[in-house]
Amino acid sequence: GQNIDQPTEMTATEGAIVQINCTYQTSGFNGLFWYQQHAGEAPTFLSYNVLDGLEEKGRFSSFLSRSKGYSYLLLKELQMKDSASYLCAACDSNYQLIWGAGTKLIIKP
Amino acid sequence: TAGITQAPTSQILAAGRSMTLRCTQDMRHNAMYWYRQDLGLGLRLIHYSNTAGTTGKGEVPDGYSVSRANTDDFPLTLASAVPSQTSVYFCASSDSSGGSGANVLTFGAGSRLTVL
């Protein structure tokens, strides 16, 4: 079956770095997405990886290893506004998105 | 502001009643989607439409129906609501429906539905 695993909750300190991991099993693979979702709001797109390696976008970076079925989202210089849930989603061979349950990130001062 | 508008924002519904959740986008995106989001679970696809005039079933379509009469509107109907349909419903759209992995979704603000 198809499956996405990511930690339920993580806690980090303002100004620090945090890495949110995601492992996936899908029928075929057409890319890995990360979305951010603040409480009570809609998910918003953060990053997309289809090739192995690191994609950097400001304070946020996303990494993909297709051979390991693994991705991570790296958040640097954490700010209080980064407190949110981070959703990992893999695109399967039918271009359908398989979503993880999300990682709730709590930032402490 | 361009984007997706969903209505209502929230609704309490008696079991057995019907309900239509409205979704309108002004980005001229071809593809539209309805997801439900429940605590502890990932977003689950209910129905989708790759282009106006076509619809398809997602992972959890039972008890729901959709129509896509034009590019902008994609309403979701619950014919006879049951308590297990209590959820937050998100409408989304994308500029491509397949053939490319860069299928970035834009989401509406969500509709919170409680079925009693």
Side-chain angles (χ1 to χ4, degrees):
Chain A
Q2 305 198 99
N3 190 53
I4 304 284
D5 283 318
Q6 53 181 131
T8 302
E9 187 175 297
M10 299 182 70
T11 301
T13 304
E14 189 177 17
I17 299 173
V18 70
Q19 178 175 311
I20 302 174
N21 296 324
C22 170
T23 58
Y24 63 90
Q25 290 178 300
T26 55
S27 301
F29 180 74
N30 281 299
L32 193 291
F33 293 81
W34 285 95
Y35 283 76
Q36 180 189 58
Q37 185 178 25
H38 286 100
E41 297 183 8
T44 56
F45 171 74
L46 283 179
S47 68
Y48 168 71
N49 295 67
V50 67
L51 300 176
D52 288 352
L54 188 68
E55 293 277 345
E56 297 186 77
K57 192 183 296 185
R59 294 189 299 114
F60 292 9
S61 303
S62 56
F63 172 83
L64 176 67
S65 169
R66 289 173 297 173
S67 63
K68 296 182 179 179
Y70 168 69
S71 174
Y72 67 73
L73 181 69
L74 190 72
L75 291 74
K76 303 176 185 176
E77 301 170 15
L78 286 170
Q79 302 175 10
M80 297 304 293
K81 68 178 181 180
D82 297 329
S83 292
S85 288
Y86 291 86
L87 313 182
C88 173
C91 191
D92 69 11
S93 58
N94 293 319
Y95 297 98
Q96 295 295 325
L97 289 175
I98 311 302
W99 295 83
T103 298
K104 182 179 180 180
L105 178 62
I106 299 168
I107 310 296
K108 295 186 174 180
Chain B
T1 303
I4 296 181
T5 302
Q6 288 186 234
T9 303
S10 66
Q11 181 75 43
I12 298 174
L13 187 67
R17 299 297 294 269
S18 66
M19 175 76 193
T20 295
L21 303 180
R22 299 184 298 278
C23 174
T24 300
Q25 55 108 353
D26 61 4
M27 298 172 286
R28 308 302 293 175
H29 282 173
N30 286 322
M32 297 187 75
Y33 312 84
W34 274 105
Y35 285 94
R36 60 178 290 172
Q37 186 175 43
D38 302 289
L39 195 64
L41 298 176
L43 288 163
R44 291 184 291 170
L45 183 65
I46 304 170
H47 285 286
Y48 65 93
S49 169
N50 288 334
T51 189
T54 69
T55 62
K57 293 181 179 180
E59 179 187 356
V60 288
D62 294 344
Y64 306 95
S65 63
V66 292
S67 61
R68 186 87 184 277
N70 57 60
T71 297
D72 298 343
D73 301 300
F74 191 44
L76 177 73
T77 297
L78 290 69
S80 179
V82 295
S84 62
Q85 292 178 309
T86 293
S87 188
V88 180
Y89 291 86
F90 286 101
C91 180
S93 70
S94 67
D95 200 20
S96 63
S97 60
S100 166
N103 194 6
V104 175
L105 299 182
T106 299
F107 285 85
S111 296
R112 181 176 296 275
L113 180 66
T114 302
V115 182
L116 302 176

